[in-house]
Amino acid sequence: MINLPLLPILIPLVTGVILMLFPDRLRLQRTLSFGSTLVTIVAAAYLIYSVRQQGILTVTLGSWPAPFGITLVSDMLSALLVFTTSLLVFFVVWYSIYYLSDLHQRFYYYIAVQFLLVGVNGAFTTGDIFNMFVFFEVFLISSYVLIVLGGKPAQLRESLKYLLINVISSALFVMTVAFLYGVIGSLSMADISQKITEINQPGILSVIAILFLIVFGLKGAIFPLYFWLPGSYQVPPTPVLALFGALLTKVGVYGILRTYSLFFSHQPEFTHQILGWLALATILIGVIGALATRDVKQILIYNIIVAVGVILYGVSVMTRQSLEGAVFYLIHDMLIKAALFLLIGVMIGIAGSSKLKDMGGMIKDYPLLGWTYFIAALSLAGIPPLSGFIGKLLIVRGGFEAGDLTGPFIVLISSLLVLYSVMQIFIRGFWGTPNAYTGPKRHLLKQLMTPAILLVAITVVYGVGTEAVRPFISQAVDPLVDPSIYIQAVLKGD
């Protein structure tokens, strides 16, 4: 199918538009959103198969030839991320049906989720840097709706901060794209990559690289631009937090990964070294935050920051091994963060609080929840043979290959500290004296646990089945290591 890259964007787009016509039909909203996301998964899986068989797929809208037209590009990296995103949204929608009250769901929840999926999948697929900005705005507008879902005072307060940060970063994004267009004269990412090697203006290109790092760093929450994330992600309902924690920061990470491999390889000793320093600082800040708090949401939120730092350290090293580790770990973290947020959502629903002091002894009445969380926590920390171990191993080996000792040491130490932080939830929440729990979600435990368990099972299979996954990861990294593969696929050798 020549238009196959369009399907994971068009399906949720059409679904969102249809849902807008029936805002009061809650059963229809649930059924259509659930079914549509399942169809999107199938389309994304077929997209991976097609890219594996045929190589990079492109669609140029309006029949304008590249680089003049808007091109959608599905290489293996894009296809894997689109599939992972669609899979996560499917499980979160399933979970939301039982977790959120009818009142919450009636406030355009499923419409916003579908348009969020449009924006994230579009950002992963576009081959045009300006349209990456457009798709960023699509999912950000959806996130503005989702973050205030419930209308609590804390949500309104934090949403203002979230909105202000993203408006500033979006304005900076447009200005940075304008600077890049002024220097290169093109918005096609493949064309920019080709032309950027032909001009002799390393100074201005380094400035543009730093501006892109600020733009995507604000959205990805790297040091020192992470300050908005702990408060903003604390306030929305758990299913929304799962979407935000698994997807939104990762789109910023993807932006850095794509631009720094395609555009800014001209002076890596400057741009990539700065990225490496910031990535390691991000790991340290995230670990400190996770160890300092006794709120289950905040522990996992700070671990989002840790993961962003680990992935970006792999990007900054820019060896093949480190890039394979970064891509492998990126997908792992999307899966495991969503699973963990769904699991702590069940804990919060039982206890009626996110504070560890209000939990304890849950393992007696909820052993399945406890041991599922235990497996997910080990995977997050990178205990072999689970998926977190494989990505970190490749990143550490890539760091050693590049002659760096400090970065791999910090990544390894952070794994132990991450394990300690998430084990605090297991020890304090599931052991000790049982409490008399009367939380509103106790009677829904079976319905809530099913999507969470399935998601944890997928992460386990992802780690144990590394040998089967590795060829796909290797194909995803090929255009990052050799941008000419991406350029030739989009420009068709022109």
Side-chain angles (χ1 to χ4, degrees), residues 3 9-10 47 55 95 122 132 156 264 277 355 381 393 413 473:
N3 292 322
I9 302 170
L10 282 179
L47 179 61
Y95 185 90
M132 181 180 283
L156 299 177
F264 305 121
W277 292 338
K355 303 294 184 183
L393 175 64
I413 292 299
I473 301 296

Side-chain angles (χ1 to χ4, degrees), residues 42 102 147 166 169 176 255 261 267 269 296 360 408 417 435 445:
V42 174
D102 287 357
I147 198 171
N166 280 291
S169 67
T176 306
S261 61
Q267 204 173 11
E269 68 278 2
V296 295
L417 298 177
N435 291 350
L445 182 65

Side-chain angles (χ1 to χ4, degrees), residues 336 340 343 347 363 367-381 383 386 419 422-423 425-427 430-431 456 460:
I336 200 64
L340 281 167
L343 289 169
M347 295 176 66
I363 199 76
L368 182 61
L369 172 62
W371 294 115
T372 304
Y373 174 85
F374 180 74
I375 294 170
L378 294 182
S379 182
L380 176 69
I383 303 301
L386 300 172
L419 179 62
V422 291
M423 281 297 111
I425 298 177
F426 184 68
I427 294 168
F430 290 99
W431 301 100
V456 172
V460 172

Side-chain angles (χ1 to χ4, degrees), residues 45 60 72 145 148 176 202 213 227 265 291 294 299 322 325 352 400 419 448-450 476 482:
T60 303
L72 297 178
V145 175
V148 296
T176 306
L213 181 57
F227 57 89
S265 57
L291 295 176
R294 290 295 178 265
I299 290 172
S322 71
F400 286 139
L419 179 62
L448 294 174
M449 280 299 296
T450 302
D482 183 5

